[in-house]
Amino acid sequence: MRPVIAITMGDAAGVGPEIIIKAFENEMVQKICRPVVIGDSTILNRALNYVNSNLQINSITRIKDAVYEQGTIDCYDLNLLDEQLPVGKVSKEAGNAAFHYLEKAITLAKDKAIDAICTAPLNKEALHLAGHIYPGHTEILAELTDTSDYAMMLSAPNLKVIHVTTHVGLIKAVELINPDRVYQVIKLADETLKKAGIPSPKISVCGINPHAGENGLFGNGEEEEKIVPAVKKAQDEKIDVVGPLPADTLFFRATRGDFDIVIAMYHDQGHGPIKVLGLESGVNITVGLPIIRTSVDHGTAFDIAGKGIASEESLVEAIRQAVELAPKIEERDGLQC
């Protein structure tokens, strides 16, 4: 049976609602999965006008009431927002709703009512205004699933990147990098790719400083202190990993096929190359969780929200990858959620 994929609406003042509608216009989505939106039906109905869509919204309060038909968007309606919510503006109301959409999706995943979660973008400022003090989706997912060992993986054509640190400043990121964390991420990368069907993943690890420190010429020996012990430990366990290597050439080597995945030390080191390949093609995957979660690799784009011009390509790809990663089941267990 096609897996049930819950698509959280994200920040309703951003492009999330309209890219969801555009994704449902793609007939492939319903063919590969049973998608259900976790959000607000009133907001989705409003967004139909942005993209001139004739799709119908089926508002439900139980997963079992979804119809999963072409031409229909099943929306698990939390009824949190008014249709007068301003578009393209930060608001605590939208931030609060975005948190609760994700919270509900996590509960449904824990209850085995859905098979994977795919998230539209939220806005961190709006999230914080609503009193939900998290750096982003990843940290909410980790806390609400009691997960301590996790990492952000970005996937684009010809390149996969997994991060040691993410949403912290650069100076703080260097402080947080240590051999235990680097080793943990190497293990997560190896296990994730093996589950995805790569029997012996080739893993490469970025340095922190230019030229990976050039044997101590740049930096203060961070590579030798923070990265080398982790790589050696993983190698002793027969993991196919090399590094630390200079990041400025490593990503080129990965895109030509030398490596299956790159381990980046901090946010922009990993995000930059992925986004050069195209904002529409990148997908964000949280690894290490007990549930499957994928996401678009772009933000709420308040500047173009409500104009109907935002691309749905990243969301469609995120849904496709959620389907690939979702548990393979023959029948559902009939939960009345």
Side-chain angles (χ1 to χ4, degrees):
M1 296 176 70
R2 294 169 295 152
V4 178
I5 308 297
I7 305 166
T8 59
M9 203 166 68
D11 192 300
V15 296
E18 58 199 270
I19 63 172
I20 287 172
I21 292 169
K22 285 187 173 184
F24 273 80
E25 295 273 11
N26 186 328
E27 292 186 359
M28 180 270 290
V29 169
Q30 292 276 13
K31 289 179 180 178
I32 64 173
C33 69
R34 290 176 286 171
V36 57
V37 178
I38 312 296
D40 270 79
S41 294
T42 55
I43 299 297
L44 282 179
N45 270 305
R46 182 177 72 173
L48 291 173
N49 297 319
Y50 303 157
V51 297
N52 297 315
S53 174
N54 293 318
L55 295 178
Q56 300 298 310
I57 309 298
N58 177 38
S59 180
I60 61 175
T61 55
R62 298 181 300 178
I63 292 295
K64 75 166 198 167
D65 293 331
V67 297
Y68 307 118
E69 294 176 350
Q70 295 285 0
T72 298
I73 300 177
D74 293 303
C75 177
Y76 193 114
D77 193 356
L78 297 193
N79 195 27
L80 295 174
L81 296 172
D82 187 275
E83 64 180 0
Q84 300 304 316
L85 177 80
V87 179
K89 294 183 179 180
V90 174
S91 73
K92 66 178 181 180
E93 291 81 10
N96 183 59
F99 174 83
H100 287 294
Y101 302 152
L102 182 59
E103 182 183 48
K104 173 56 71 173
I106 292 168
T107 298
L108 292 170
K110 286 180 175 179
D111 291 342
K112 309 296 184 185
I114 63 172
D115 300 303
I117 299 171
C118 180
T119 57
L122 54 71
N123 181 276
K124 297 175 184 62
E125 184 181 353
L127 193 68
H128 289 192
L129 282 175
H132 305 295
I133 312 302
Y134 297 90
H137 274 116
T138 301
E139 293 77 13
I140 298 172
L141 283 150
E143 180 171 308
L144 297 187
T145 59
D146 297 316
T147 302
S148 57
D149 295 344
Y150 62 92
M152 177 190 294
M153 184 174 83
L154 302 181
S155 178
N158 303 320
L159 182 62
K160 286 182 171 59
V161 180
I162 190 168
H163 293 68
V164 172
T165 67
T166 50
H167 296 114
V168 294
L170 185 55
I171 293 173
K172 184 65 175 179
V174 176
E175 291 177 4
L176 291 173
I177 298 167
N178 61 67
D180 287 342
R181 174 60 180 166
V182 175
Y183 168 75
Q184 178 190 88
V185 175
I186 293 172
K187 287 279 288 183
L188 284 171
D190 187 62
E191 292 166 0
T192 299
L193 294 190
K194 284 177 177 175
K195 288 178 182 177
I198 301 175
S200 183
K202 295 176 290 184
I203 303 169
S204 56
V205 182
C206 289
I208 299 171
N209 295 295
H211 305 288
E214 192 100 28
N215 296 316
L217 290 177
F218 304 111
N220 296 300
E222 288 87 356
E223 280 75 16
E224 288 293 326
E225 174 192 348
K226 297 171 176 283
I227 301 175
V228 170
V231 172
K232 288 182 177 178
K233 182 178 180 180
Q235 289 171 338
D236 289 342
E237 296 179 7
K238 308 303 181 184
I239 295 176
D240 187 357
V241 58
V242 295
L245 299 175
D248 58 352
T249 55
L250 177 49
F251 288 99
F252 167 75
R253 293 181 60 191
T255 57
R256 76 179 182 187
D258 292 3
F259 305 107
D260 295 305
I261 193 166
V262 175
I263 296 180
M265 292 297 113
Y266 51 90
H267 184 281
D268 285 11
Q269 187 181 59
H271 277 63
I274 288 284
K275 292 187 176 180
V276 165
L277 294 176
L279 285 172
E280 295 83 8
S281 60
V283 174
N284 184 330
I285 303 168
T286 308
V287 300
L289 299 173
I291 57 181
I292 300 301
R293 179 261 177 163
T294 67
S295 179
V296 297
D297 187 34
H298 61 74
T300 49
F302 282 160
D303 57 324
I304 60 170
K307 298 180 180 179
I309 60 176
S311 172
E312 76 281 11
E313 290 182 23
S314 181
L315 180 58
V316 171
E317 180 61 18
I319 294 169
R320 189 188 67 79
Q321 294 206 27
V323 171
E324 288 188 1
L325 294 167
K328 304 302 182 285
I329 58 172
E330 293 185 0
E331 58 180 301
R332 303 213 56 74
D333 56 14
L335 283 173
Q336 306 299 297
C337 297

